[in-house]
Structure formats: C-alpha cells, structure tokens
C-alpha cells in the first residue's frame, strides 16, 4: 500500500491528490452524512503510512481543514485507528487532532470533553504511555488546551499524569550484535550506515545531525542507544530487505540530502524516524 501511494503527488490528474489539494486550500465537497465523512477521513488516514513527506504533510493539513468544521470526528478517528501498529499513523493522527483542536469552529464543550476524556484514559492512564515522543506531546497539548478553555474541569484529571515524565518501559540493554561489523543486504546496510553516530567510523548524516544531536541533552550511552535503535528496526518494526530493499534502491539518491524535505523518502528513513521518536 505504501509503495503504491508514494509518489502519487507527481500525478496531477490523480483524483485523490486533487481532493487533498482542494481541502488543503480550504475548499471542499458537501457531505451527504456522517458516514461519508468518516469514510473519507479513514481513507486519508491510511495515506499517513506514506514515507513521502509531501503526501503526509499535505494530507494532514487537509484532514485538519475537514475536522475543524466537524470536530466530533476527532474521537471517532482516534478510536478507529487506535489498534493500528504503524506509529507513523498514530503519531500524525494525534497531531491532526491537535491542529483541529485549535482551529475548530465548533465550541461545543461536550464534544471536546468527550475527546479529552478518551485521550486521558487511553493514553495517560495506560500502564505505559505510547512510546512516541511526538504523539505524547500532541496528546498533552490537546489535554492542556481543554483544561485552559474549561478550567472548571481541572479536578477530573491528574496533571501529574498528563505532564512528563511518563511511565515508560526502560530502554533495554541489547547484547552487542556486531551491527558495525556484520555484512547485511543493501537496505539494512544503508540503515546502519545512515544511523552511525560520530565516533563510529564514518558517521551517517541522519545518525550525527539528527539522531545523535537530539540525544545531547540526555545522559545516555550513545553506543547503547544506537545498538537498540537498529535492533528495534529489525526485530520490533520488522524491516526486511526482501520486502523493501528493491524499493528503496529504486528510488535512487538524486534528490536526497539533509536539507531537502519535499521528497519521497526511502522506506528505511521512515523506520529511522520511528525508531528515533521511540
């Protein structure tokens, strides 16, 4: 699915792309009912699996424009996707809900309170808060906005649960896997090379300028973090050369550098982002 939708933005005749652009620009179609609205948002929600930066961002903006006028759909959408195991989808959906929250036209307290209660129960009262640093922040911001607008409801929620630090599983210590020494297929080789930190031989751009840079304010063992990140990509997320190696290689490297954001990223980069936010 993701390989199919990646690059759709280059087809100006594609009806889905035309629809996304239309909503992104503040226009839209009349809906015949709530179910039609739900189905459209469900379809757009699945586009969030994409490793195309343009497609994810533009789809997200379009969904904000739809939901700000139909804010009751926020809770419906989060519940519909709550068991999806792709953190790219969960993370961005909570970002969309936060965006719609501050732009919403409907100031109905009941709708907002129901959403806040769902987020509080599902996210912050869980045994472990969902392990994605951006998703957590979007959820926190949405709760904070609700309590800002309706301070009389403060007593129903524990601020200590909403604000970090959150209950999380410890980052496991993984036995040395020899990721810097072993030979891997092209996809995994590129992941490891791209994620290498400074001090690990020839560093990778993502490893040094993005991942390692984000860790500088934390007292952690960088080698241990690198080791676990690669382990997580292979064993938890399930990156597999047989599934994605040919696709990643087919994209080539002609439009890839750390300063370019409007691009179709390789599948491996999606896995790198998920691992870092985890």
């Amino acid at each position: 699915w993701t390989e199919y939708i990646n690059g759709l933005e280059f087809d100006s005749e594609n009806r889905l792309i035309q629809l996304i652009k239309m909503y992104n620009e503040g226009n839209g179609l009349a809906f015949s009912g709530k179910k039609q609205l739900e189905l459209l948002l469900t379809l757009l929600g699945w586009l969030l699996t994409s490793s195309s930066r343009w497609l994810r961002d533009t789809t997200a903006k379009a969904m904000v424009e739809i939901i700000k006028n139909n804010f009751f759909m926020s809770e419906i959408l989060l519940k519909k996707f709550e068991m999806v195991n792709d953190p790219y989808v969960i993370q961005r959906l909570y970002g969309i809900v936060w965006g719609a929250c501050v732009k919403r036209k409907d100031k109905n307290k009941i709708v907002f309170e129901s959403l806040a209660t769902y987020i509080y129960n599902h996210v912050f009262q869980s045994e472990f808060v969902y392990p994605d640093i951006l998703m957590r922040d979007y959820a926190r911001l949405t709760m904070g906005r609700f309590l800002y607008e309706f301070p009389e409801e403060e007593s129903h929620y524990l601020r200590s649960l909403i604000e970090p630090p959150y209950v999380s599983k410890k980052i496991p210590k993984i036995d040395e896997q020899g990721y810097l020494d072993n030979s891997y297929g092209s996809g995994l080789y590129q992941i490891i090379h791209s994620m290498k930190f400074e001090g690990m031989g020839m560093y990778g751009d993502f490893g040094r300028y993005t991942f390692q840079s984000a860790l500088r304010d934390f007292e952690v063992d960088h080698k241990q973090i690198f080791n676990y990140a690669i382990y997580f990509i292979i064993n938890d997320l399930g990156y597999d050369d047989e599934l994605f190696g040919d696709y990643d290689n087919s994209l080539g490297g002609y439009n890839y550098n750390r300063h370019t954001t409007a691009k179709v990223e390789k599948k491996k980069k999606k896995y790198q982002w998920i691992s870092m936010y985890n």
Side-chain angles (χ1 to χ4, degrees):
W1 165 251
T2 302
E3 292 176 12
Y4 170 74
I5 62 177
N6 275 359
L8 281 183
E9 63 267 30
F10 300 118
D11 180 7
S12 60
E13 299 300 315
N14 185 281
R15 297 295 290 162
L16 189 55
I17 295 302
Q18 292 174 355
L19 195 65
I20 292 168
K21 288 181 176 179
M22 180 174 63
Y23 279 105
N24 191 44
E25 293 165 359
N27 303 312
L29 302 173
F31 293 103
S32 62
K34 293 181 180 179
K35 191 61 180 179
Q36 189 182 49
L37 178 62
E38 179 185 338
L39 290 173
L40 175 60
L41 288 170
T42 302
L43 172 60
L44 297 185
W46 283 116
L47 295 182
L48 301 176
T49 69
S50 177
S51 56
S52 164
R53 297 281 288 274
W54 184 94
L55 186 57
R56 287 187 81 230
D57 291 347
T58 308
T59 299
K61 292 176 184 177
M63 293 177 74
V64 169
E65 290 301 310
I66 296 172
I67 297 174
K68 76 177 186 182
N69 297 312
N70 303 276
F71 194 58
F72 67 93
M73 286 302 308
S74 295
E75 185 178 348
I76 293 173
L77 204 59
L78 292 182
K79 286 181 176 179
K80 192 162 193 174
F81 282 85
E82 68 181 14
M83 298 304 293
V84 171
N85 68 352
D86 185 342
Y88 244 33
V89 175
I90 302 298
Q91 175 202 102
R92 188 55 69 98
L93 280 177
Y94 274 84
I96 289 166
V97 168
W98 162 240
C101 171
V102 295
K103 297 184 71 175
R104 75 191 194 283
K105 305 296 184 182
D106 182 3
K107 301 301 182 180
N108 187 315
K109 177 183 176 181
I110 296 176
V111 171
F112 201 173
E113 186 174 21
S114 179
L115 171 66
T117 300
Y118 168 76
I119 293 176
Y120 183 75
N121 292 335
H122 182 68
V123 177
F124 296 112
Q125 285 200 312
S126 296
E127 180 182 4
F128 298 107
V129 177
Y130 195 86
D132 184 288
I133 196 168
L134 291 186
M135 180 274 193
R136 291 173 169 189
D137 209 39
Y138 295 138
R140 177 187 66 86
L141 287 166
T142 302
M143 289 295 306
R145 180 73 183 198
F146 172 73
L147 294 176
Y148 169 78
E149 292 188 21
F150 305 103
E152 68 275 12
E153 301 299 331
E154 180 90 32
S155 61
H156 296 149
Y157 307 93
L158 289 176
R159 280 276 188 181
S160 59
L161 291 182
I162 299 169
E163 300 291 339
Y166 301 114
V167 179
S168 305
K169 293 181 180 178
K170 296 290 185 182
I171 297 176
K173 292 184 178 180
I174 304 300
D175 292 337
E176 179 59 53
Q177 303 291 311
Y179 293 129
L180 299 177
D181 307 317
N182 293 342
S183 297
Y184 294 94
S186 58
L188 282 173
Y189 172 83
Q190 290 177 29
I191 286 177
I192 293 168
H193 178 76
S194 173
M195 291 185 73
K196 285 165 65 175
F197 293 168
E198 188 175 15
M200 297 181 180
M202 182 61 183
Y203 61 78
D205 278 354
F206 185 87
R208 181 188 184 189
Y209 296 110
T210 302
F211 198 175
Q212 190 175 24
S213 177
L215 295 173
R216 295 196 189 281
D217 292 329
F218 298 90
E219 295 181 3
V220 293
D221 184 325
H222 285 196
K223 180 64 182 295
Q224 179 189 331
I225 295 292
F226 167 82
N227 198 42
Y228 171 59
I230 302 299
Y231 182 93
F232 180 73
I233 287 173
I234 297 173
N235 295 282
D236 290 87
L237 299 182
Y239 184 92
D240 190 324
D241 273 326
E242 291 187 11
L243 294 175
F244 308 125
D246 289 343
Y247 175 78
D248 278 354
N249 288 332
S250 71
L251 289 179
Y254 62 89
N255 68 334
Y256 289 87
N257 63 69
R258 64 178 176 270
H259 306 294
T260 304
T261 56
K263 61 189 177 187
V264 178
E265 293 185 326
K266 296 183 179 183
K267 273 289 195 65
K268 70 180 182 66
K269 184 58 66 68
K270 170 180 174 177
Y271 282 71
Q272 289 175 332
W273 284 116
I274 291 174
S275 181
M276 189 185 89
Y277 292 135
N278 175 273

